[in-house]
């Protein structure tokens, strides 16, 4: 009988699509995009601003990929997933606290 091997890793297209869509959505409307918008408007050189911003995103992504690769070799997958989940919850709580603080300051007129 022939055995069918099932890969536990997602395919090339799935990884590229999920990475692109996650990063693209996460970057929409953030401070970096707003800074890039302002730099482009002020400089009069939108293509140079695009080049600088693209290189910066590539470099910061490389740091994340290398760190993620190191963590994947160092920690068991379950612990890595738990740490990632806790980090996301902590970031959500921190951003929520900032939003509440901003709303309170706006309503009190401070």
């Amino acid at each position: 009988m022939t055995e069918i091997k099932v890969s536990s890793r997602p395919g090339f297209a799935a990884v590229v699509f999920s990475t692109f869509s996650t990063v693209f959505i996460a970057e929409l409307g953030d401070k970096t995009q707003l800074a890039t918008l302002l730099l482009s408007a002020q400089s009069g050189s939108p293509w140079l601003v695009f080049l600088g911003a693209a290189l910066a995103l590539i470099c910061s992504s490389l740091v994340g990929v290398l760190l993620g690769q190191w963590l994947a070799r160092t920690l068991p997958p379950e612990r890595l997933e738990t740490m990632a989940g806790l980090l996301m919850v902590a970031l959500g709580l921190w951003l929520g606290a900032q939003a509440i603080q901003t709303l309170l300051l706006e309503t009190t007129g401070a």
Side-chain angles (χ1 to χ4, degrees):
M1 247 187 171
T2 306
E3 286 186 32
I4 298 175
K5 292 184 180 181
V6 179
S7 174
S8 63
R9 292 183 172 208
F12 175 82
V15 171
V16 170
F17 178 74
S18 65
T19 302
F20 175 85
S21 57
T22 301
V23 172
F24 184 79
I25 291 169
E27 293 297 321
L28 285 178
D30 72 345
K31 293 175 188 172
T32 305
Q33 188 181 34
L34 296 174
T36 304
L37 182 144
L38 292 173
L39 286 168
S40 178
Q42 289 175 350
S43 72
S45 303
W47 288 107
L48 291 177
V49 172
F50 171 76
L51 180 62
L55 288 172
L57 184 57
I58 288 170
C59 291
S60 66
S61 296
L62 178 62
V63 170
V65 167
L66 294 175
L67 183 61
Q69 185 180 25
W70 177 76
L71 285 172
R73 285 191 310 245
T74 306
L75 299 174
E78 298 80 22
R79 184 174 294 164
L80 193 56
E81 287 178 6
T82 301
M83 289 173 58
L86 290 173
L87 179 62
M88 290 298 153
V89 169
L91 287 172
L93 292 172
W94 181 58
L95 290 172
Q98 282 186 328
I100 290 170
Q101 184 179 21
T102 300
L103 286 172
L104 291 174
L105 287 174
E106 288 177 358
T107 57
T108 59

